[in-house]
Structures are given as C-alpha cells and as structure tokens.
Amino acid sequence: TEPTVLIAQIQNQSARLLKQNISLNLVGIANSKQALLNRNGITDSNWRAALAEAQHSPAIETLVEFSHDAQLLNPVVVDCTSSAEISRQYVAYLQKGFHVVTANKKANTDDMDYYRALRHAAKAQHKKFLYETNVGAGLPIIDNLQGLLKAGDKLERFFGILSGSLSYIFGEVHNGLTLSQATLKARELGYTEPNPAEDLNGLDVARKALVIAREAGLELELENIQVEAAVPDDLAQMTQADEFISALEKYDAEFQKIVTAAEAEGKVLRYIAEIDNQNIQVGIQAVAQDHPLYTVQAGENAMVIHSSFYNPVPIVIRGYGAGADVTAAGLFGDLIKTMSVETSL
Amino acid sequence: TEPTVLIAQIQNQSARLLKQNISLNLVGIANSKQALLNRNGITDSNWRAALAEAQHSPAIETLVEFSHDAQLLNPVVVDCTSSAEISRQYVAYLQKGFHVVTANKKANTDDMDYYRALRHAAKAQHKKFLYETNVGAGLPIIDNLQGLLKAGDKLERFFGILSGSLSYIFGEVHNGLTLSQATLKARELGYTEPNPAEDLNGLDVARKALVIAREAGLELELENIQVEAAVPDDLAQMTQADEFISALEKYDAEFQKIVTAAEAEGKVLRYIAEIDNQNIQVGIQAVAQDHPLYTVQAGENAMVIHSSFYNPVPIVIRGYGAGADVTAAGLFGDLIKTMSVETSL
C-alpha cells in the first residue's frame, strides 16, 4: 500500500538525501486507532509491530503536542487516508505550523468555503498545502498547471482518463472480456475498491476533475458536475460488493451492445472527464483512432491540457495514475517541496 | 523572444502573485553590452529604450555590487542566452548568494568537473540552480525526473523528440515537402537557428539528452554521445547559412529516397534521442505506427521515460518544447521555485 511504500522510501532514501543537504526524518506513523511517535526517527522497517503496540492516540491534539515538545523544525503531516474527517483537520494542522501533504481528495472537493479556508490558513501560516497525488498519482499535473497559471496562462479545455481502474476495465472490455469479467479481473489485481461500484459510479473521477477545475479558477461544487456512471444508476449506487457484482453480470449483455456499436464504428469506449468553459462532464465516450485517449488503457491515466500557451497543440501527460510505487513517489516529491532551501539543512 | 515574454510575464503577474504572498520584482535587465538596474523595480513595458541608454556594465562584478548595495532579499539571475561564457559564471553567482535559473544548456553540458562544481556551489550556499527549460521548454521533465529519483526510482530507458525545429521539419517532410523546403519553412516561422545547419547537426539534441542522462546519474561527456546528424556531416558542419541551404537543396533527392523507403514500410522518420544503459544515441529513426513517437510532429516534443516505478508502461510527456510563451512560462515556474515560503513574503 501507499503508506508502506512511502515509509520505505523515506527510510531507504534518507542517507542519500542527506548528501544533498536534505534531512527528512520520519518521526510518527498513525492509523485510525493509535500513533507511533519517536522524535529520533522511526528507522526500523518492522514498524508495524511497534505501531500495533503504540500507546499514543492519533488525535490531532496528541500530534500537535508531540511536535511542540519535540521542537520539530519543519513538521509535515502526510494524509494517505480517504477520510473526510481527517481532511477537515488540515486547517488546524496548518494553523499549528504543519505543512500538509495529502493523497486524500476530500479536502479539495469539500465545499468552496473549506477550499478557501485551507488556502487562507496556508498563506497566513506560510505553510505549504500540497496534493500532487490527488490527480494522476505521481504524474506532474497539479504542479505543472499551477506553474502555467502563475505565469499568466489560462486553461481553455481539459480532458483526460483519470481512473486507473476504469482505464484497465475499459481496455479489457475491448480485449474481449465482458464488463463483469473485466471488473472482477481488475478487482483481483487490486486495481479497484473492495466494492467496485465505487469505481464504476464515477464519483472518484468527478472529484479529480473538480480538483483540476478549481485549480484553474472555476468555483464549482461537486454537485455541479454532470456525472454519468459507467453503469446504470441503480447499480452504481449499490453499497454491497456481492450484490453489485451479481447485478453487473446481469447487465453484461446490455453493455456488450454499446461495446459492439462502438467497435462497428472503429471506436473504443473510454471513461473521460472533460472541463470546458464552466462545465465539467464525466462519463463514457466512444472515441475514434485519431483521438488522443484512444490508446489509453492498461491502467494508464492521460491528461490533455489545452491552454492559451499550449495552443493549438496541447500538453499531454500520460502514465500510471495509480499504484503504490508511483503514488508514494508523488507524495515523496511533495514532501521534498515542503522544505525550503534553508530548512532542508 | 523568451526574455521579452518573461519580462512581460513578471510585470503582468506581479500584482496577482502578491495576493498569493509572492513578491517578485524585476530589478535588472542586461544584454551583452549594458545593464539596466533599478532597485525599485522595472515596471515599464517600454524597458528597451531605457536599456539602450543604460550606463551600467553587464559584468558580474557590477551585478553583484548592485545586489549588495540594494540589499536584495533573495536575488536570482536568469540566463536566457546560449553563451558558454555566461554559463561559466554561474558558480560565481551562486557563491555571491544568487539563485541561478537558466534556459542555457551550456553549463549542464560543460565537462563533468564544472557540472559537479555547480551543484557543489549551490549546496554550499544553500541556493537553487534550476534549469527546467534546458529540455522540452516548459514541459515538466527535469523536476519530475528529479522527484522520482529522490524517491528511489531508477531510469531504465529514455527516448524522445527533443527539438521543436526537427519535429516540425520531419513532420513536413512526410506532408510532402522536400527536406530543403521543410527547413526553409521552419526557418521562416522562426523555428530554426539563423543557420539551420545548427539544428540539423543534432548537437542541440545531444546536449538535451546529456542533461537528462546526467540527471539520471550517468557521468558522460558531450563527446561520448553518438550523434548522427540529420544530414551528411559535411553539410552539418557548414557555418554559413546561404552555403548550407544551397547544399541542402542538392541533397534533397538523396534524402527523398530515405523518406520513400520508410513510407513504403508504413513508417515515418523521426529525429530521436535515446538513453539506454550507459549509451546516448541521437539520430534519425524510421518508426512504425505503433511507436509512441509516430504522431509527434508540428513542433511538438515528446519524452518517454521507462523507470523502475513506471514499468512496463512509461510516463509520456508531450507538447510544445520550444516557443517564447512556453519557454518563458518554464523559466517563470523556476523563478517561483527559488522562493522558499518564508522569503516569498
């Protein structure tokens, strides 16, 4: 999983980074029940056992007190959960002097008031709030977009494939599997949520599209997005995995008609997020061979940015948009960016 | 040109950036003959007239003295030249407390001793040396590669189209133009050097490939690269534009045979830089429709990174790799990165 890989990356790379004047210390690991805290650094790769026996609470008060007592120079909180409750604590962490690095999309897709409050807190405290992995895992999309917009560029149109699981499933469907077979295969490979309805309902893609749209200045809420699930709504809303999978099997024949119709026109189905003017649309599109997203499959993400500067030819960034290695590397990159030249010594 | 656009970007964006707590002031502009210096900021868009009448020398001693007298908080030198002489001054600038941001590839492709001296100076002075625009203009390649390598990733194989002018010329050749027609058209559009032999000789692409290879830890010199020019060596070495263009016309028929042979196999010619193991190769390749660089033309660059994390599917980044807007935006992004959270207030 991401946290495991990120912890290993920090532990393995710290000696090499020190040669580059970057001192990165892992001083705490928390899950929902407890927190393992060690001011001198958690260097043991077998930290799971220690965490299981840790006595500290993972509550924000405990972590703030620990940071204060340990006089941490430049503390960073890294959130690898998808918890809305934890994302609601970022403002408090920023106000207490932590940088915040997160893979969790909940904060950036909460209401605009909280979105603004976060940026206000980061500014007021001179702390960084970084979330490159919210979209496309380690692919350099947020930082690149922020750089362009700071230089005066404007987003004109965006479209992309933002879900590794849906990228995989739609690829396999055109390799001859039924929708339920492709979904079960993706699930077996660990590419989906435990209940794949949470991938096929499109909400995760909608959140990613909202993160990008807000980056570009659109003041939209999640409910403003037109989300067409990859399956009929009654399936998409099922909360029990077993129930969903048996419903999906019954839907296979109907879905196959859509696949066949697309293929008869030389097209493939892709689950695409699109931002155009003030609109965000998320849903299935049939695209022809000359479309930039035609070849995107096998878990790949792809993001196409048309802007004032990149016009008429867009920037295209593609590669794995999920997976423990690349997501952890994205979080690691954000961690490095929390260090100013001065405090990285 | 890049400096003109970058200056306009700084002047136009400064008010907006200040709202984000970023105070970016343009206090000096220099060309090879003189320097315009104003501690209070050069805000006039008509700075050319003032520069033409400026009395200061552009010598490093003058700029260092100015920075010292003006008590600049976090000075940055931006180099938009391609001068080896200026690139040789970076160590001195870093030692005098400047960050260095550069579009000039000469420093990073100078000998390994100078390459190391630069990084040593930056570390010792806690200053940044940033050069995102050395490869692919504003495309996020260097920063992304550095982030991955810091997280413990390893470059396994790289290939790409790294020249906007060669991308354009090879695209037009397959649109039916002769090599000399395509080259003249690229020249008219301002995509080539005044003497296009400097594009077709492949040396600029070799420099870019060397920047990437060194980033990934290969300790190679420019002379270690196998560079096959896009035209025979006697043409590639011509120093006079007129002479080169008339020689190019005579070469058209022979080149057309290579084009025709490639097309007969369903392939197109692309000028490709490739890094594999300890080798860098730069030259023409005929690629088939399933090759990631088949569709790259019209001045686009494309970079394909195979690494331990991005395996077997690579990261691909593509878009304009040259042009004043996107190159200036890349320099602007680097400028923003010189500011720690603390000093950007």
Side-chain angles (χ1 to χ4, degrees):
Chain A
T1 68
E2 283 151 41
T4 310
V5 175
L6 178 62
I7 288 166
Q9 285 179 358
I10 295 171
Q11 291 178 333
N12 295 336
Q13 292 298 105
S14 61
R16 228 188 99 205
L17 288 169
L18 209 52
K19 288 188 196 156
Q20 297 177 52
N21 289 345
I22 299 169
S23 165
L24 181 63
N25 294 309
L26 177 69
V27 296
I29 304 174
N31 59 25
S32 59
K33 296 184 196 72
Q34 56 227 119
L36 173 66
L37 303 173
N38 182 347
R39 200 265 172 267
N40 298 319
I42 300 167
T43 53
D44 188 354
S45 63
N46 188 23
W47 50 267
R48 284 189 185 283
L51 177 60
E53 290 174 11
Q55 299 300 317
H56 289 290
S57 138
I60 179 166
E61 297 75 17
T62 313
L63 303 185
V64 167
E65 193 186 329
F66 166 71
S67 167
H68 184 263
D69 292 349
Q71 297 185 285
L72 299 181
L73 190 59
N74 199 42
V76 190
V77 147
V78 182
D79 179 9
C80 295
T81 74
S82 59
S83 154
E85 194 190 335
I86 292 179
S87 77
R88 276 272 165 178
Q89 299 178 353
Y90 296 169
V91 165
Y93 275 114
L94 290 164
Q95 286 172 341
K96 294 295 183 183
F98 288 79
H99 300 288
V100 174
V101 165
T102 185
N104 180 352
K105 292 175 283 288
K106 294 285 162 63
N108 277 328
T109 56
D110 206 323
D111 59 49
M112 277 302 296
D113 284 347
Y114 189 66
Y115 187 86
R116 287 192 201 96
L118 259 170
R119 280 143 184 85
H120 181 79
K123 263 189 230 179
Q125 301 296 324
H126 319 156
K127 294 295 161 191
K128 293 199 175 161
F129 171 51
L130 298 173
Y131 44 86
E132 185 61 68
T133 52
N134 273 198
V135 184
L139 298 174
I141 179 82
I142 304 286
D143 189 63
N144 182 45
L145 200 50
Q146 287 178 340
L148 285 171
L149 298 169
K150 278 195 176 124
D153 200 5
K154 283 182 183 61
L155 184 72
E156 291 182 347
R157 185 170 163 240
F158 169 91
F159 57 98
I161 289 177
L162 303 181
S163 159
S165 49
L166 293 179
S167 164
Y168 184 83
I169 291 168
F170 280 83
E172 288 298 289
V173 154
H174 288 284
N175 287 337
L177 298 193
T178 64
L179 181 61
S180 65
Q181 285 169 343
T183 303
L184 284 171
K185 193 172 170 190
R187 192 192 190 206
E188 276 167 21
L189 291 166
Y191 295 171
T192 69
E193 296 296 320
N195 174 13
E198 290 175 30
D199 298 285
L200 292 160
N201 69 19
L203 192 60
D204 184 63
V205 173
R207 285 191 187 275
K208 290 172 179 172
L210 184 61
V211 173
I212 291 178
R214 285 180 168 180
E215 211 59 60
L218 300 191
E219 305 207 333
L220 296 172
E221 302 288 354
L222 198 53
E223 54 265 32
N224 298 134
I225 302 182
Q226 302 165 46
V227 188
E228 181 207 30
V231 290
D233 278 345
D234 50 340
L235 271 72
Q237 285 156 18
M238 287 180 175
T239 52
Q240 301 301 317
D242 293 345
E243 196 189 336
F244 172 72
I245 286 159
S246 79
L248 197 59
E249 281 168 9
K250 285 177 207 131
Y251 175 63
D252 276 341
E254 199 179 327
F255 187 78
Q256 195 55 45
K257 287 181 197 160
I258 311 173
V259 174
T260 308
E263 288 180 347
E265 291 182 337
K267 294 181 176 176
V268 292
L269 304 181
R270 295 288 179 254
Y271 197 79
I272 295 175
E274 193 162 352
I275 305 169
D276 205 352
N277 288 314
Q278 294 287 315
N279 294 317
I280 308 180
Q281 271 189 308
V282 173
I284 297 177
Q285 292 185 29
V287 301
Q289 203 170 353
D290 60 353
H291 192 281
L293 303 180
Y294 182 88
T295 59
V296 180
Q297 51 169 340
E300 249 188 310
N301 282 16
M303 292 161 286
V304 181
I305 301 173
H306 288 269
S307 72
S308 318
F309 294 169
Y310 286 94
N311 175 21
V313 178
I315 295 194
V316 180
I317 298 175
R318 62 187 281 185
Y320 292 128
D325 273 351
V326 299
T327 307
L331 289 166
F332 199 92
D334 276 353
L335 265 176
I336 299 291
K337 287 184 183 132
T338 60
M339 306 186 185
S340 62
V341 181
E342 290 73 21
T343 55
S344 62
L345 296 167
Chain B
T1 68
E2 281 152 42
T4 310
V5 175
L6 178 62
I7 288 167
Q9 284 180 358
I10 296 171
Q11 292 178 331
N12 295 337
Q13 293 298 105
S14 61
R16 229 189 98 205
L17 288 170
L18 209 53
K19 288 187 197 156
Q20 297 176 51
N21 289 344
I22 299 169
S23 165
L24 181 64
N25 294 309
L26 177 69
V27 297
I29 303 175
N31 58 26
S32 60
K33 296 186 196 69
Q34 57 226 121
L36 173 65
L37 302 173
N38 183 345
R39 199 263 174 269
N40 298 318
I42 301 166
T43 54
D44 188 354
S45 63
N46 188 23
W47 51 267
R48 284 192 184 282
L51 177 60
E53 290 174 11
Q55 299 299 317
H56 289 290
S57 138
I60 180 166
E61 297 75 17
T62 314
L63 304 185
V64 167
E65 193 186 330
F66 165 72
S67 167
H68 184 262
D69 291 349
Q71 298 186 284
L72 299 181
L73 190 58
N74 198 42
V76 190
V77 147
V78 182
D79 179 9
C80 295
T81 75
S82 58
S83 155
E85 193 190 335
I86 292 180
S87 77
R88 276 272 165 179
Q89 299 177 353
Y90 296 168
V91 164
Y93 275 114
L94 289 164
Q95 286 172 341
K96 294 294 182 183
F98 287 79
H99 299 289
V100 174
V101 165
T102 184
N104 180 351
K105 291 175 284 289
K106 294 283 161 64
N108 277 328
T109 56
D110 207 323
D111 58 50
M112 276 303 295
D113 285 346
Y114 189 67
Y115 187 85
R116 287 193 201 97
L118 259 170
R119 280 145 185 84
H120 181 79
K123 263 189 232 180
Q125 300 297 323
H126 318 154
K127 294 295 159 191
K128 292 197 176 164
F129 171 52
L130 298 172
Y131 44 87
E132 186 61 67
T133 53
N134 273 198
V135 184
L139 298 174
I141 179 81
I142 303 286
D143 189 61
N144 182 46
L145 200 50
Q146 287 177 341
L148 285 171
L149 298 170
K150 278 194 176 124
D153 200 5
K154 285 183 181 58
L155 184 71
E156 291 183 346
R157 185 167 163 241
F158 170 91
F159 57 98
I161 290 178
L162 303 181
S163 158
S165 50
L166 293 179
S167 165
Y168 184 83
I169 290 168
F170 279 84
E172 288 298 291
V173 154
H174 287 285
N175 287 337
L177 297 193
T178 64
L179 181 61
S180 66
Q181 285 168 343
T183 303
L184 285 171
K185 194 171 170 191
R187 191 190 190 208
E188 276 167 22
L189 291 165
Y191 295 171
T192 70
E193 297 297 319
N195 174 14
E198 292 176 27
D199 298 286
L200 292 161
N201 68 18
L203 192 60
D204 184 61
V205 173
R207 285 192 187 275
K208 290 171 179 172
L210 184 61
V211 173
I212 291 178
R214 286 180 168 180
E215 210 59 61
L218 299 191
E219 304 208 333
L220 296 173
E221 302 288 354
L222 198 52
E223 54 266 31
N224 299 133
I225 302 181
Q226 302 165 44
V227 187
E228 180 207 30
V231 290
D233 278 346
D234 51 340
L235 271 72
Q237 284 157 18
M238 287 180 174
T239 53
Q240 301 300 317
D242 293 345
E243 197 188 335
F244 172 73
I245 285 159
S246 80
L248 197 58
E249 281 167 9
K250 284 176 209 134
Y251 175 63
D252 276 342
E254 199 179 328
F255 186 77
Q256 195 56 44
K257 286 181 197 159
I258 311 174
V259 174
T260 308
E263 289 180 348
E265 292 183 337
K267 294 181 176 177
V268 292
L269 304 181
R270 295 288 180 255
Y271 197 80
I272 295 175
E274 193 162 352
I275 304 170
D276 205 350
N277 289 314
Q278 294 288 314
N279 294 316
I280 308 178
Q281 271 189 308
V282 173
I284 297 176
Q285 292 184 27
V287 301
Q289 203 171 352
D290 60 354
H291 192 281
L293 303 179
Y294 181 89
T295 59
V296 180
Q297 52 169 340
E300 249 188 309
N301 283 16
M303 292 160 288
V304 181
I305 300 172
H306 288 269
S307 72
S308 319
F309 294 169
Y310 285 94
N311 175 22
V313 178
I315 297 193
V316 180
I317 298 175
R318 61 187 279 184
Y320 293 127
D325 273 351
V326 298
T327 308
L331 290 166
F332 198 91
D334 276 353
L335 264 176
I336 299 292
K337 286 183 184 135
T338 60
M339 306 186 185
S340 62
V341 181
E342 292 72 22
T343 55
S344 62
L345 295 166

